[in-house]
Amino acid sequence: MPPPDAADGRDPLAARAVALAVLRRVERDRAYADVALDAALANSALDTRDRGLATRLVYGTVAWQGLLDWHLAHLAGRAPETLDLAVRLVLRLGCYQLLVLDRIPAHAAVATSVELAKRVAPAAAGLVNAVLRRAARERATLPLPDAADPVRHLAVAFSHPEWLVARWLELFGVAETRLLLAADNEAAPTVLRARPGERDRLIADLAAQGIVAEPSRYAPDAVEIDAVAPHALAGYGLGAFTVQSEASQLVALLLDPQPGTRVLDVCAAPGGKATYVAELVGSRGLVVAFDRRRRGAAAIATGARRLGIMRLAVGTADARRLPLAVHERFDRILVDAPCSGLGTLRAHPEVRWSRGPADVLRLAALQAEILHAATAHLAPGGALVYATCTLSAAENEGVVEPWLAAHPELERDHAAAHLAPAAAALVDASGALRTLPHRHRLDGFYALRVRRR
Ligand SMILES: C[S@@+](CC[C@H](N)C(=O)[O-])C[C@H]1O[C@@H](n2cnc3c(N)ncnc32)[C@H](O)[C@@H]1O
């Protein structure tokens, strides 16, 4: 029986069933939420509104999982991890609609969840009904952990793991940590990169398709749009734009690649920065791009073909052992290192649950090795950018400080000298680019530029 809010003729279960299938892939197979969602939407017949709803349900339920499980433990009288996966996910999805979203009527959230349960775990439909009805009744008075323990309180209230909250409290203090945690739970804007210098034309082309598009604040080719599934927009296949966050565009710009420059990018997949740099160095320049993953390297080549880029050579290689002659040197090197990704929780909410302190240590050691190997190929007078999309000090200052101490031939180069004037606000006291979701509405990136004397 369809739930009671099916008044507009749409199937109220359609978007929720897609969201549930994606949540199952994220939890059971450790899939990336965005990748699993893109695949599910590509195979679905959902209309635009339902695509938007499914997207919201997936990102929101994953982001708010910590808070939802806290409330579920209270409402169900048992730890959520003791429930079958399908039941746990239906309950999280229902609780997200009841406790976090404010536009879905309670009766619709409960009824659709019970119908979903009948499909995937029929024996638990009664339990789902009872728990969610209780959630609807008690939602204004559900308890949170005592604020006397700020780590636990903030971790639950803003749905982040405790270890991460403890780190952010040390780095940012209480007031700013609250803002950062809140910003992590907002949706990231969808940002495109126009072909260099063609931003106005792209905005006009998008407007002709009825897409609201605005120039971004800091990166000269960045355009923010109000649309889901940007890869499906006209012009993508023809190379009119690339989907790339503004912070990521800024890292490529920090390299300041001039026409004719030879550039090495050692961790290049899927190629957002490598293709941008290749567009900027033009037909007289060259970008040599490596990635350890063969499929990653293939994605760079596909992107280059779509954009009509000729001067981008791609290879599969471990950046700690680059397949380059010892004497080979480049004018610019980008080390966009594999990292914990903790600055991108808006776009990748699952990362907060899949990473732990041990990953940070392991990645910091890997980053140091990659940086050391890449430095050997920097030409005198050339510049290297070390970048991460994490806020963890161990992977940023913790990597670059010992590296600079070991390389007296390198000197810091102030980021503001290489970016548009508006981006000066994004440069910290050490001269590094440092973007933060809560201060700048950008993903949290760190990028240091150094020059070889
Ligand atoms: C932050 S991502 C790079 C993003 C890319 N620069 C872009 O803008 O699209 C880090 C990349 O490092 C790659 N990677 C991880 N370990 C590596 C290693 N030892 N050598 C080379 N690449 C590695 C990963 O496969 C991943 O594609």
Side-chain angles (χ1 to χ4, degrees), residues 244 248 265-274 290-293 296 317-320 334 336-339 366 370 389:
Q244 184 178 20
S248 168
D265 181 349
V266 298
C267 298
K273 300 179 193 73
F290 291 110
D291 199 275
R292 184 155 79 167
R293 290 178 302 120
D318 188 318
R320 292 169 293 184
L334 177 59
D336 188 24
C339 73
L366 174 62
I370 291 176
C389 56

Side-chain angles (χ1 to χ4, degrees), residues 437-452:
H438 61 293
R439 282 194 213 159
H440 315 114
R441 214 174 141 262
L442 296 172
D443 286 338
F445 273 62
Y446 170 86
L448 178 69
R449 188 184 210 269
V450 300
R451 217 181 357 226
R452 181 162 173 191

